[in-house]
């Protein structure tokens, strides 16, 4: 999970003031605004999904409400509640809010927050490409976002394997350009 910096986006703050925005869906339905949000978050997240750290671009990502809009109305238009997530149906933002997710209804507000918490403190990776934690909420977060689905663990394992042959290459973070916390752990 990416540690997303929490400074506000001036354009969004001005937009909210001008339009007295209360609902994200109705009051923030502006193409220009959403483009600005995407551009800013892509920079902050270094083009990685906030949850799984896979490479994302504008076209294969969506603006994600960390705390669900329908349950946390007050956070709907808060910039600190927004990140960009990949569009994978089996993990991250889309999975989190879907009917497929067996724990979505029972548990959702204590999970590790990419903006407010410092996710680096909570997660590690084993050599099979699995993400692990010793913290209860972080363990639930892994399940909640399905961060150990087979596709993701395969991708991570593959990177670990590549890293084991690449110890003389400079700037490995730039080389892979995704999964930054995994690469940092295995450098
Ligand atoms: Zn993702």
């Amino acid at each position: 999970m990416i540690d997303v910096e929490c400074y506000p986006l001036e354009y969004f703050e001005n937009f909210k003031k001008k339009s007295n925005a209360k609902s994200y869906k109705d009051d923030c339905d502006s193409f220009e605004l959403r483009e600005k949000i995407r551009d800013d978050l892509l920079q902050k997240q270094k083009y990685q999904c906030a949850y799984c750290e896979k490479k994302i671009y504008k076209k294969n990502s969506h603006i994600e409400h960390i705390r669900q809009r329908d349950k946390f109305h007050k956070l709907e238009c808060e910039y600190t509640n927004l990140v960009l997530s990949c569009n994978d149906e089996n993990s991250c933002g889309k999975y989190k809010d879907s009917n497929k997710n067996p724990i979505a209804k029972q548990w959702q507000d204590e999970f590790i927050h990419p903006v407010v918490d410092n996710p680096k403190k909570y997660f590690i990776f084993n050599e099979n490409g699995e993400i692990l934690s010793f913290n209860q909420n972080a363990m639930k977060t892994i399940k909640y976002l399905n961060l150990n689905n087979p596709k993701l663990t395969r991708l991570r394992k593959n990177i670990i394997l590549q890293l084991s042959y690449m110890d003389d290459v400079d700037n490995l973070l730039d080389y892979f350009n995704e999964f930054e916390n995994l690469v940092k752990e295995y450098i």
Side-chain angles (χ1 to χ4, degrees), residues 123-177:
F123 302 104
I124 48 165
F125 302 92
N126 70 13
E127 292 192 348
N128 293 322
E130 290 164 324
I131 183 167
L132 308 170
S133 182
F134 298 104
N135 172 284
Q136 285 292 327
N137 280 346
M139 284 193 266
K140 283 186 189 171
T141 304
I142 292 168
K143 278 200 188 138
Y144 187 42
L145 299 169
N146 205 17
L147 295 179
N148 274 330
N149 76 61
K151 194 173 145 194
L152 276 173
T153 49
R154 248 196 329 269
L155 286 170
R156 293 192 201 107
K157 197 174 172 182
N158 193 275
I159 287 187
I160 294 166
L161 200 68
Q162 289 182 64
L163 280 166
S164 66
Y165 294 105
M166 295 177 67
D167 49 354
D168 57 344
V169 178
D170 286 338
N171 301 321
L172 282 168
L173 278 172
D174 292 341
Y175 176 84
F176 287 102
N177 223 358

Side-chain angles (χ1 to χ4, degrees), residues 13-183:
E13 299 311 313
N14 291 337
F15 182 95
K16 284 195 294 184
K17 257 184 228 155
K18 259 190 250 161
S19 61
N20 195 22
K22 294 207 167 48
S23 153
Y24 181 80
K25 190 166 170 271
D26 301 331
D27 304 332
C28 301
D29 189 19
S30 144
F31 177 77
E32 201 183 341
L33 171 67
R34 305 233 172 141
E35 284 294 286
K36 298 261 187 204
I37 292 175
R38 282 169 185 277
D39 286 337
D40 184 58
L41 290 175
L42 276 173
Q43 293 295 327
K44 277 184 180 169
Q45 297 174 207
K46 298 183 214 127
Y47 290 78
Q48 298 163 100
C49 169
Y51 297 135
C52 73
E53 305 187 19
K54 233 170 27 188
K55 176 90 350 225
I56 51 167
Y57 301 96
K58 273 192 198 175
K59 283 190 177 153
N60 64 358
S61 65
H62 65 276
I63 299 173
E64 146 79 4
H65 279 75
I66 301 165
R67 305 293 189 229
Q68 280 180 352
R69 272 186 286 162
D70 52 348
K71 301 212 165 71
F72 298 88
H73 293 297
K74 282 189 185 155
L75 301 176
E76 246 186 84
C77 300
E78 286 303 317
Y79 198 56
T80 50
N81 194 39
L82 303 180
V83 285
L84 285 187
S85 165
C86 69
N87 285 340
D88 199 313
E89 300 286 342
N90 295 313
S91 69
C92 309
K94 293 221 159 168
Y95 177 85
K96 162 180 157 281
D97 298 335
S98 77
N99 294 331
K100 284 195 263 192
N101 187 347
I103 63 170
K105 289 205 168 62
Q106 323 147 16
W107 182 83
Q108 58 190 304
D109 50 354
E110 310 100 325
F111 74 93
I112 305 302
H113 192 298
V115 181
V116 175
D117 297 317
N118 178 4
K120 277 181 238 156
K121 282 196 314 208
Y122 296 98
F123 302 104
I124 48 165
F125 302 92
N126 70 13
E127 292 192 348
N128 293 322
E130 290 164 324
I131 183 167
L132 308 170
S133 182
F134 298 104
N135 172 284
Q136 285 292 327
N137 280 346
M139 284 193 266
K140 283 186 189 171
T141 304
I142 292 168
K143 278 200 188 138
Y144 187 42
L145 299 169
N146 205 17
L147 295 179
N148 274 330
N149 76 61
K151 194 173 145 194
L152 276 173
T153 49
R154 248 196 329 269
L155 286 170
R156 293 192 201 107
K157 197 174 172 182
N158 193 275
I159 287 187
I160 294 166
L161 200 68
Q162 289 182 64
L163 280 166
S164 66
Y165 294 105
M166 295 177 67
D167 49 354
D168 57 344
V169 178
D170 286 338
N171 301 321
L172 282 168
L173 278 172
D174 292 341
Y175 176 84
F176 287 102
N177 223 358
E178 60 180 347
F179 294 108
E180 76 172 57
N181 287 305
L182 173 76
V183 175

